[in-house]
Amino acid sequence: MTTAADGTEAGTVRVADYLADELARAGVTHMFGVGGANIEDLYDAVHRGGVVRGVVAKHEFSAVTMADGYARTTGRLGVVTATSGGGAMNLVPGLAEAYASRVPLLALVGQPPTAQEGRGAFQDTSGKGDSFDAGEVFTPISRFCARVQDADSLVELLPRAMAAARTEPCGPAVLLLPKDVQQARIRLPGGHGPAPSTRTAPVAQLDEAALAEVSDVLRGADTVLVIAGEGVAAADARAELSRLARNLGAWVAVTPDAKDVFDNRDPRFAGVAGVMGHANVEHCLRRADVCLLVGTRLPLLARGGLERALAATDVVCLDSEKPFVPGTALVGDLRDALRAVTGRIAPGPRACPRHPGPVPTPVVGPDAQAGPGRSVPYAQALAAVEAALPEDAHVFVDAGNTGASAVHLLPAPRHGRFVVALGMGGMGYTFGAGIGAALATGRRTYVLAGDGAFFMHGAEVHTAVEHSAPVTFVVFNNNAHAMCALREEFLQGGVRDDDVFGRTDIAAGMAAAFPSLDVTGAESAAHLREALLRGNTGAGPAFVALDCDPKEIPPFLPFQPFAEATGDAGRAEHTDNAEHTDNAEHTDNEENADERRVVRTG
């Protein structure tokens, strides 16, 4: 045995250094996490290696969502780290989102030294000595989970974990890394092997019988509605989708989490399907001979309100998994499936039948108001966002009324992602995800969130400031968990107000906390647009908050009966008031186009 000058065995490296080097060789550029005693060796190795950039988040949930946003915008493997105990457990909701949304992640989770397992170690999750087993926590929300028992086993387990994360259905892989294993030395494998890939692994060949059946159904259809999902983005299959749609002469709708997979300004675009969607999608579906699902299993949020029309229409599906609705499925690699089916369809393009397009549902809520503490209707605010949004920007949309309104009203940028995390639908996802995307791509990234999401994970603005991430945070502040409050009013009699809060001035708070941050408290849609355009010109983060009304009813299907009833009542009141107003100027009673779309509730 040859000994190096520092007393270590020549030809060996720390496991932590080996791991950092393998991440770099695989093309990983960022590692997101929160430090701690049982993961500090990996952070030290990343720092010494100088290739992978270690990003320290404020909370482990947001560290996972940073890796998630990184993966969704680059197509590469996202990497997250955490220490043992509470840090490890804080990963759970973020990994659950990635599991449900099929996002490839690698979670490297520190553990106490192996000699202390089952002997009262601080943060022991080995499953020994009456401790619970972290592996049993992570296994249900991962595609692969293993405890690295010794240094040599990492050489086998790391490539298995990476491959599992990238194999359809994609999702998180978890490696539990005891501290002593990270510090142990490992002899480098001979030749060091080929660089591990972080791209999605190939899947099995297409079934010829299923391909023939799907192609026959589509060739026999006069009218086709395509409903495209997030799988199109994950497979980078937008061009293939567009080509098939042209050849079929099809309308194209998208699921709520996939607005960016088809050009929202294309004449074929039918709108968003499901509970946050457009009535035109059902209109087209009822006229269609065939509904073609592409890159979606059509979960409930994407098919809400369409069930009867779907039951009366032939359904075929191209995806890596079988759909949730009855139909003929061609399961396999999505790009291969799209190309194979297109090859069996008569060459196009064919014109699609005329249709109304994605006309927005009329919004029920406040009239436009200006000045401090005055609310800005979502439609006007999102029109300002649309006017300022760069065509290559990424957009991350959070949960709640903000999310429903943005999905319904805001067109996706032509050359950027439009991400809505509907796997678990957790509030606050966007703050980390937007930062991960911005750091990974260097593009201006918009985070659209309500105040509820902000108060959960908005502290990650600190991370954006520390790393000069080009993120524009837009917080729609209605001082409430407004979707919950509306449910309480409509479905439970409005007897409690638990989810309505006192007013907060979020912009003032952020300006005081971060003197270098460009912060605006927008008092109107015009003021919002001005602030967004200014933020686009900067290199780092920007923050805008505006007040919204918690009584504004978003374009969300379960609320529509109540919105219609409220709108009818508001129109009747307006008519009654007009009839009893004497000598009023004509212009006083004349509503402009924006005002006709909103009626105050409550």
Side-chain angles (χ1 to χ4, degrees):
M1 181 181 72
T2 305
T3 303
D6 61 359
T8 60
E9 183 180 353
T12 65
V13 296
R14 283 188 310 170
V15 165
D17 293 310
Y18 170 77
L19 181 51
D21 185 47
E22 288 298 288
L23 294 178
R25 291 203 316 132
V28 173
T29 58
H30 292 75
M31 182 181 80
F32 306 96
V34 179
N38 287 327
I39 201 66
E40 63 190 3
D41 296 284
L42 180 55
Y43 269 96
D44 175 69
V46 164
H47 175 74
R48 291 172 182 272
V51 178
V52 179
R53 182 178 178 184
V55 178
V56 175
K58 308 286 94 60
H59 192 281
E60 290 83 1
F61 170 78
S62 290
V64 183
T65 67
M66 289 177 193
D68 181 302
Y70 173 103
R72 295 200 205 212
T73 52
T74 65
R76 299 196 298 265
L77 183 71
V79 178
V80 61
T81 65
T83 192
S84 50
M89 295 302 100
N90 283 341
L91 296 174
V92 168
L95 294 180
E97 167 61 40
Y99 181 90
S101 292
R102 311 306 194 239
V103 180
L105 301 183
L106 175 64
L108 303 170
V109 185
Q111 297 285 279
T114 54
Q116 298 177 11
E117 293 175 352
R119 303 183 64 184
F122 179 56
Q123 299 179 330
D124 187 1
T125 54
S126 65
K128 301 176 182 177
D130 204 29
S131 65
F132 73 88
D133 187 345
E136 293 183 358
V137 174
F138 291 118
T139 294
I141 53 172
S142 64
R143 304 299 176 187
F144 179 89
C145 182
R147 186 178 296 272
V148 183
Q149 300 286 6
D150 55 68
D152 291 334
S153 64
L154 182 67
V155 177
E156 174 203 358
L157 291 173
L158 180 59
R160 286 179 59 191
M162 285 185 170
R166 296 180 293 107
T167 301
E168 296 287 357
C170 297
V174 180
L175 291 178
L176 303 172
L177 298 165
K179 184 175 178 68
D180 57 317
V181 173
Q182 296 176 56
Q183 294 178 326
R185 302 195 70 81
I186 186 174
R187 185 170 295 280
L188 292 175
H192 215 18
S197 172
T198 63
R199 295 286 179 178
T200 301
V203 295
Q205 288 188 330
L206 300 173
D207 181 84
E208 284 296 325
L211 172 59
E213 185 176 3
V214 165
S215 301
D216 288 345
V217 171
L218 292 173
R219 278 198 302 267
D222 290 328
T223 53
V224 177
L225 171 66
V226 174
I227 301 180
E230 166 67 12
V232 175
D236 193 17
R238 294 176 180 83
E240 289 81 2
L241 167 66
S242 181
R243 189 174 303 115
L244 179 57
R246 288 199 307 270
N247 286 5
L248 289 170
W251 303 297
V252 181
V254 295
T255 58
D257 58 347
K259 285 201 76 170
D260 60 339
V261 303
F262 192 81
D263 186 352
N264 293 186
R265 299 160 184 84
D266 190 290
R268 301 179 187 278
F269 184 61
V272 178
V275 299
M276 292 171 266
H278 301 97
N280 183 54
V281 176
E282 182 182 4
H283 170 75
C284 291
L285 180 58
R286 292 189 181 280
R287 294 171 60 191
D289 299 318
V290 174
C291 178
L292 171 60
L293 308 181
V294 179
T296 178
R297 304 175 73 189
L298 210 63
L300 184 61
L301 288 184
R303 69 177 188 267
L306 302 177
E307 290 91 342
R308 290 185 180 180
L310 283 166
T313 308
D314 287 337
V315 176
V316 295
C317 178
L318 310 182
D319 194 34
S320 60
E321 301 176 82
K322 292 183 178 180
F324 291 120
V325 296
T328 303
L330 177 58
V331 177
D333 180 82
L334 187 57
R335 293 179 76 177
D336 289 348
L338 285 165
R339 289 169 178 170
V341 172
T342 301
R344 298 191 178 202
I345 301 296
R350 289 172 51 194
C352 73
R354 293 174 63 87
H355 64 116
V359 178
T361 301
V363 176
V364 179
D367 289 334
Q369 298 174 330
R374 300 293 189 174
S375 61
V376 180
Y378 281 102
Q380 294 183 19
L382 290 166
V385 173
E386 180 184 359
L389 190 65
E391 288 198 346
D392 65 345
H394 301 305
V395 178
F396 284 79
V397 177
D398 221 294
N401 287 5
T402 297
S405 300
V407 167
H408 191 81
L409 296 169
L410 180 64
R414 291 183 186 274
H415 307 297
R417 292 299 327 267
F418 188 106
V419 177
V420 188
L422 295 180
M424 291 288 105
M427 292 171 65
Y429 161 89
T430 57
F431 289 92
I435 293 169
L439 292 177
T441 66
R443 296 191 197 178
R444 176 58 52 180
T445 300
Y446 276 44
V447 166
L448 309 181
D451 54 304
F454 169 80
F455 284 119
M456 288 189 180
H457 291 286
E460 294 302 335
V461 172
H462 180 274
T463 309
V465 172
E466 287 292 301
H467 291 271
S468 299
V471 184
T472 298
F473 300 95
V474 186
V475 176
F476 298 75
N477 181 15
N478 52 30
N479 298 290
H481 290 168
M483 186 167 280
C484 295
L486 289 172
R487 290 182 62 85
E488 291 156 11
E489 178 179 348
F490 296 149
L491 305 177
Q492 298 181 331
V495 296
R496 57 191 179 92
D497 58 1
D498 312 54
D499 287 300
V500 179
F501 316 123
R503 184 178 183 273
T504 54
D505 189 341
I506 294 175
M510 297 304 287
F514 303 107
S516 65
L517 179 63
D518 179 0
V519 178
T520 301
E523 298 177 358
S524 66
H527 194 190
L528 170 62
R529 177 176 178 272
E530 176 187 332
L532 297 177
L533 290 171
R534 185 176 66 251
N536 291 345
T537 65
F543 188 97
V544 186
L546 65 153
D547 286 336
C548 298
D549 194 309
K551 292 289 188 179
E552 180 172 345
I553 303 175
F556 185 57
L557 186 62
F559 292 166
Q560 286 311 111
F562 306 101
E564 291 165 4
T566 303
D568 290 342
R571 284 188 289 273
E573 180 182 355
H574 175 79
T575 302
D576 184 65
N577 288 341
E579 290 174 350
H580 290 83
T581 300
D582 294 326
N583 302 318
E585 294 290 339
H586 174 72
T587 53
D588 289 341
N589 291 323
E590 186 84 5
E591 293 176 306
N592 63 36
D594 287 331
E595 290 170 338
R596 282 196 298 272
R597 296 175 59 191
V598 295
V599 179
R600 187 175 180 84
T601 70

